[in-house]
Amino acid sequence: MRSALLRPLLGFLAAALLLALAGVGVLYVVWTRDLPSIGDVDLLALGGETRVYDRKNRLIGVLTPSLSSGALASGELLELGEISQPLRKAVVSSEDRRFNSHRGLDMVGIGRGLLKGLFLGDLEGGSSITQQLVKNTLLGDMNSERTLERKFKEAVLAYRVEKNFSKNQILAAYLNVVYWGKTQRRSIVGIDQAAHAYFGKSAAELNLAESAYLAVLIPAPNSRYQKFEEFRPLTRILLDRMVEDGTVTQAQADQAWRTPIYPAGWRIGWNADGTVRSARLENPARLEENLPAQAPQVAFHYLQAVERELVAQLGRKEAYASAKIVTGLDLDAQRAAEQAAREAELPEGATLGMAFVDPQTGEVTAMVGQQLDAGRPADWDNATQSRRQVGSSVKPFVYTLALSQGWQQSDTVLDAPLQGEYQPKNYDGRWLGYPVTLRYALDYSLNLPTVRLAQEVGVGELEGKLTELGFQVQPDLGLSLSIGTLEASPLQLASAYAAFANGGLYRPASFVRQVVDEHGKVIYQRPEVPAVRVWDERTAYLGLDMLKGVVNDLSEAQGGLATRARIEGWPVGGKTGTTNDIRDLWFAGVAPGVAGAVWVGREDNQPLPAWAYSGTVPTPIWQRAARGQLAGRKPGDFPVPQGITFATVRRVEMAFLSEKLQTPGAPAGRSSAPSPTAPAATVPAPPPRSSQPSRPPAPTSAPADPPEVPVAAPQTPMTQPPVAQPSEPQPTVPQDSAAPTPEASPDPSQIPPLPQEPAQQLPQEQLPQEQVPLPDLRGVQDEAARAWEETQRAAEQGLRDTLERGSDQAADELQRALDQAREQLQQLPQTAPQSSP
């Protein structure tokens, strides 16, 4: 009877075992196809031997291995004999008691880890020292994943490592890559740095008490350092375990427990029995003070990026075994960028990231990942690793997309609130209430016209174009995408802006040109990656012309947002960007042969102070870095493609497609009509070619350079838009940068704007009881419109006469026509009473 019951049970167990073995086999085949070579474990012996050169064959530095923690193995690499025996014994007892007996896998520890995973849902635990070494050196890309796949790969690689390296080699390598916490600026990696940081001595000088303390820190060094008394009992447990393991005697353990220790930054009072009387963390900065000083490394973050690119192409061992790496970096450009980073005036707590690329090749010519000072920069690289909202620096892509669909810079879009749930606002919460040109809207970085333009060109089209330009567009951003909710790194933005400077081609950023081994053989040559044409050549130039307008159309006093990007003798174009609550400040720009972007912000994503603006913080940094790159070059201009013609509109010279200017009355007008329910000005909209409306008055509390804020949540508009006073001149280009020519249109500064009523009026019952009735202005407005049309016709006729009959006589006739037009306008009413709320 009993055997009859056992047979089915044994059969079930056998089938389950076979099924499990088959499953393991399948997992082995699937998960081990792309495992790295175990030979990479000895990469630490090769680190620092590979020399890195710039594009002109000038030495930059040596390649330093990075670890899975993101830190660098930048301390001295010690042999096992250079590390104190108490430290080695304490780490083994703490991290892997069966290290000297297993073959890479501690089956007892793995069983304990599996039970923990089953009952607590945590697959961590049970890792041997060999597995931890594998995790830190071979599986860095999976370091943060708590998955069965990672544990399986760790186990396979650990077994292979044990077959090819001795226990002493494995332990030494592990102790050289262990993460022991971080200071404010640096990670503490390896026993050499840990011994100096915590106790101000070499690893060979550590006693048993200090060694046990350092071993206890390993699982969570930052939190355990901060709470000395809370984790002090763990040292007693470890010393008792070492006695059980036979690595120290009971007397040695008791003596170590009673030995006072003073980790850097701590003031500790001890009792004779080894208990703590008092403990206070007074100066955690002592950790960094104890670390050996390091000479500043040129292109520190650039070399890290070189390593990432090269390891992806060749693998870690080949990357560090090579003798020479040639990069696209320009050492002069890099030094200029680093100098700009050192001189940067940033808000307290802020840092930066900047990247510059060669528009013709896509190679990264300079890169800085942090604000720099005299010391070693922090490991985190904001130039490539950060993804932050780009603010209004995305707007040029919206406007250039419109230009590619047939719009012109002189076409107009309504500056008024939208209808619907999404209610963005301009930077000051106000609007003009009538159409403005595309050029004007971008110069002043107006959000409302930009969103309306995005509606016209299509959000889907915009998403597709941004994807072509190398961005990863987050889903469901909708219209907010057009005013800056896109997330990107400075390097991504620089590469996208390069398409304005090279005729419309996008090239992915690259760092490494060539790798040569010790015998002079080229073992890697960067493959030719076809450029993606995102704009045709003429459209790219039109977009570039608008970028140049942002920098040059307005003086700083007129509200110019990017005037501080100007470089004497060179044409410069670019765009600022600011995000909600002033969390991110941007400037991205181009000059001949240069494209780059600068980001300023806090790494904890906290807001910056209210005085910080994109035109005053990142823009001068970009200007200094770009100016340094251009130093020594012969000044030049961007090439103008065939089919581009220039015309002066409202005293601003703009680029147009030649065929657009061949029709009578060119440049032709186009307008984005508001939806029927959208609030608009009560006066008729001026013709598309009419003078630009006056600049909206800046908020009384804001400086001249306001932020451009993408707003995702609905906003409440002001009940009354700003009203331009007739006495205010129109914003114009400074005289020294755009002097009037005989072909210029009539001087708009002499033409008073039409009086405007509020775009939104309060209900009648909310108005003050005593109101002065307004005169009927319709006749004045109609007469003004007719006068303006006559002025335009006269100016256009004068322009045609100039072209047909010569300059001297025609100029006189044109001047007389303009004088007559001005006289007619001066006869119109110059002021009109305005309603008050």
Side-chain angles (χ1 to χ4, degrees):
M1 183 69 179
R2 181 179 300 172
S3 60
L5 294 174
L6 286 177
R7 282 195 206 98
L9 179 59
L10 292 175
F12 174 78
L13 291 176
L17 179 61
L18 290 174
L19 187 60
L21 291 175
V24 171
V26 171
L27 292 179
Y28 184 87
V29 172
V30 173
W31 285 345
T32 61
R33 286 179 299 186
D34 56 349
L35 286 179
S37 167
I38 57 145
D40 293 357
V41 169
D42 64 0
L43 66 91
L44 298 174
L46 301 169
E49 299 298 324
T50 303
R51 295 179 177 270
V52 185
Y53 295 81
D54 82 338
R55 58 173 55 197
K56 298 177 182 177
N57 208 35
R58 295 174 292 187
L59 179 65
I60 303 172
V62 295
L63 203 62
T64 303
S66 63
L67 306 175
S68 61
S69 63
L72 298 178
S74 52
E76 184 179 351
L77 303 177
L78 304 181
E79 296 181 2
L80 198 61
E82 299 175 285
I83 303 171
S84 73
Q85 282 198 358
L87 187 280
R88 287 146 52 184
K89 294 175 180 178
V91 169
V92 169
S93 290
S94 175
E95 295 298 302
D96 186 2
R97 300 179 73 177
R98 287 165 287 277
F99 171 69
N100 291 303
S101 59
H102 65 61
R103 300 300 298 168
L105 303 179
D106 180 4
M107 301 310 296
V108 175
I110 289 175
R112 184 174 62 249
L114 287 175
L115 291 175
K116 185 179 180 182
L118 289 174
F119 293 102
L120 300 179
D122 187 353
L123 287 174
E124 289 295 321
S127 292
S128 67
I129 283 178
T130 313
Q131 286 176 278
Q132 293 182 55
L133 173 63
V134 165
K135 179 176 67 175
N136 277 320
T137 57
L138 304 182
L139 293 178
D141 59 336
M142 301 183 69
N143 182 46
S144 61
E145 297 182 15
R146 299 188 176 190
T147 63
L148 181 61
E149 179 184 356
R150 196 206 75 181
K151 302 298 290 185
F152 188 89
K153 288 183 175 182
E154 275 183 15
V156 172
L157 287 170
Y159 177 76
R160 294 179 182 178
V161 167
E162 289 276 352
K163 287 183 62 177
N164 288 272
F165 296 92
S166 69
K167 291 289 185 179
N168 284 345
Q169 288 175 315
I170 294 171
L171 182 58
Y174 172 75
L175 292 174
N176 277 313
V177 301
V178 171
Y179 174 72
W180 252 295
K182 65 180 297 184
T183 67
Q184 184 176 2
R185 299 182 59 83
R186 299 170 61 176
S187 295
I188 303 171
V189 178
I191 185 56
D192 178 62
Q193 288 191 352
H196 282 95
Y198 288 100
F199 294 109
K201 58 177 63 174
S202 70
E205 299 173 313
L206 293 170
N207 60 37
L208 180 56
E210 295 163 339
S211 298
Y213 172 80
L214 289 177
V216 166
L217 288 182
I218 290 176
N222 295 313
S223 62
R224 293 188 177 188
Y225 168 75
Q226 295 283 339
K227 302 173 182 178
F228 184 86
E229 287 184 278
E230 181 177 336
F231 290 99
R232 172 65 176 167
L234 295 181
T235 302
R236 178 77 262 181
I237 294 173
L238 176 57
L239 291 171
D240 292 342
R241 185 183 297 176
M242 294 177 71
V243 174
E244 294 175 9
D245 295 341
T247 56
V248 297
T249 65
Q250 186 65 57
Q252 290 173 322
D254 293 340
Q255 179 62 38
W257 177 250
R258 293 191 298 268
T259 300
I261 60 173
Y262 301 94
W266 278 93
R267 179 182 292 274
I268 303 173
W270 292 98
N271 296 316
D273 61 356
T275 58
V276 177
R277 184 171 62 252
S278 63
R280 185 172 64 199
L281 181 59
E282 292 185 336
N283 184 20
R286 282 288 305 279
L287 288 176
E288 186 159 349
E289 294 171 5
N290 285 349
L291 287 171
Q294 293 181 318
Q297 169 67 63
V298 177
F300 178 81
H301 293 107
Y302 194 101
L303 292 177
Q304 286 182 294
V306 166
E307 181 211 10
R308 290 193 294 268
E309 181 175 307
L310 204 54
V311 167
Q313 296 291 337
L314 299 178
R316 296 175 70 86
K317 186 171 185 179
E318 286 296 333
Y320 297 110
S322 57
K324 180 178 180 180
I325 300 172
V326 181
T327 70
L329 180 133
D330 183 324
L331 201 52
D332 296 327
Q334 180 66 28
R335 286 171 175 156
E338 292 186 2
Q339 185 64 25
R342 291 188 181 94
E343 296 174 353
E345 298 179 3
L346 304 185
E348 184 178 358
T351 184
L352 58 79
M354 75 172 87
F356 288 84
V357 301
D358 183 340
Q360 302 305 319
T361 64
E363 291 178 324
V364 183
T365 57
M367 193 179 80
V368 179
Q370 291 277 348
Q371 186 183 25
L372 302 181
D373 53 26
R376 177 185 185 274
D379 290 324
W380 182 256
D381 171 15
N382 291 303
T384 64
Q385 294 175 310
S386 291
R387 297 292 186 274
R388 304 295 284 262
Q389 288 190 355
V390 300
S392 291
S393 57
V394 77
K395 289 177 180 176
F397 304 121
V398 180
Y399 286 82
T400 307
L401 179 58
L403 296 173
S404 73
Q405 295 180 0
W407 290 70
Q408 301 177 78
Q409 300 187 56
S410 58
D411 293 338
T412 58
V413 182
L414 181 65
D415 181 24
L418 282 75
Q419 186 72 16
E421 294 183 3
Y422 181 54
Q423 289 292 312
K425 62 179 180 179
N426 291 333
Y427 61 85
D428 58 1
R430 299 178 290 184
W431 61 88
L432 295 174
Y434 52 81
V436 296
T437 65
L438 271 61
R439 179 89 166 208
Y440 181 96
L442 188 60
D443 279 354
Y444 284 108
S445 198
L446 300 179
N447 286 338
L448 294 173
T450 303
V451 174
R452 289 184 180 277
L453 189 62
Q455 288 178 318
E456 294 289 325
V457 301
V459 173
E461 292 291 326
L462 178 59
E463 290 176 346
K465 187 60 65 176
L466 292 174
T467 300
E468 290 179 14
L469 286 161
F471 297 108
Q472 288 83 47
V473 181
Q474 299 87 350
D476 304 323
L477 294 181
L479 287 170
S480 70
L481 176 64
S482 65
I483 54 175
T485 52
L486 175 73
E487 294 180 354
S489 69
L491 181 55
Q492 287 177 310
L493 198 58
S495 296
Y497 266 65
F500 290 116
N502 64 20
L505 298 175
Y506 170 75
R507 292 181 173 88
S510 64
F511 295 88
V512 180
R513 283 187 176 182
Q514 189 181 75
V515 180
V516 181
D517 68 11
E518 58 184 358
H519 304 294
K521 179 183 177 182
V522 176
I523 59 176
Y524 172 78
Q525 185 77 37
R526 185 185 68 232
E528 289 294 332
V529 179
V532 177
R533 178 159 291 285
V534 291
W535 315 110
D536 65 74
E537 192 173 5
R538 297 196 300 170
T539 298
Y541 189 86
L542 294 177
L544 171 64
D545 190 59
M546 293 193 73
L547 285 178
K548 291 165 65 178
V550 174
V551 175
N552 299 290
D553 283 354
L554 304 165
S555 68
E556 191 165 357
Q558 292 172 311
L561 302 177
T563 58
R564 300 190 186 191
R566 296 173 183 173
I567 301 174
E568 185 177 0
W570 290 90
V572 173
K575 185 68 186 73
T576 54
T578 308
T579 62
N580 285 337
D581 301 322
I582 321 180
R583 297 178 189 273
D584 306 280
L585 301 176
W586 290 86
F587 181 80
V590 294
V594 174
V598 176
W599 166 84
V600 171
R602 292 174 58 104
E603 289 181 353
D604 59 8
N605 201 32
Q606 293 301 304
L608 299 175
W611 59 261
Y613 291 99
S614 53
T616 58
V617 180
T619 303
I621 301 172
W622 184 96
Q623 192 267 0
R624 285 192 289 269
R627 184 182 61 196
Q629 295 188 43
L630 295 170
R633 302 187 192 179
K634 184 178 179 180
D637 204 344
F638 296 99
V640 181
Q642 292 185 352
I644 292 292
T645 304
F646 296 89
T648 301
V649 179
R650 302 176 186 125
R651 297 187 64 189
V652 176
E653 187 179 64
M654 305 180 188
F656 294 90
L657 299 179
S658 298
E659 60 267 24
K660 296 287 187 179
L661 295 181
Q662 293 174 358
T663 57
R670 178 172 177 176
S671 176
S672 171
S675 61
T677 57
T682 57
V683 299
R689 287 176 284 126
S690 64
S691 64
Q692 290 175 314
S694 298
R695 176 182 176 232
T700 55
S701 61
D705 183 10
E708 315 88 0
V709 182
V711 180
Q715 301 291 330
T716 303
M718 293 181 63
T719 58
Q720 178 172 323
V723 179
Q725 297 301 319
S727 59
E728 285 188 346
Q730 298 286 349
T732 59
V733 177
Q735 293 292 335
D736 57 352
S737 62
T741 65
E743 295 81 9
S745 299
D747 185 355
S749 65
Q750 304 300 322
I751 303 173
L754 298 179
Q756 303 289 324
E757 292 183 4
Q760 285 187 336
Q761 297 183 354
L762 293 172
Q764 186 65 36
E765 59 271 14
Q766 296 182 21
L767 294 174
Q769 295 301 313
E770 295 183 3
Q771 288 288 322
V772 179
L774 292 175
D776 186 359
L777 299 179
R778 287 176 295 180
V780 175
Q781 295 164 354
D782 293 341
E783 186 175 356
R786 287 195 299 273
W788 174 238
E789 291 174 358
E790 292 174 4
T791 301
Q792 284 185 303
R793 287 195 294 271
E796 292 166 359
Q797 183 60 45
L799 180 59
R800 284 193 289 270
D801 292 341
T802 298
L803 297 175
E804 293 173 359
R805 294 181 296 170
S807 60
D808 294 338
Q809 180 180 356
D812 293 338
E813 294 177 2
L814 176 59
Q815 187 61 50
R816 286 194 294 273
L818 293 176
D819 292 341
Q820 293 174 1
R822 290 192 182 95
E823 292 175 0
Q824 294 175 6
L825 288 172
Q826 290 172 359
Q827 296 173 5
L828 296 176
Q830 297 298 303
T831 60
Q834 303 292 327
S835 61
S836 60

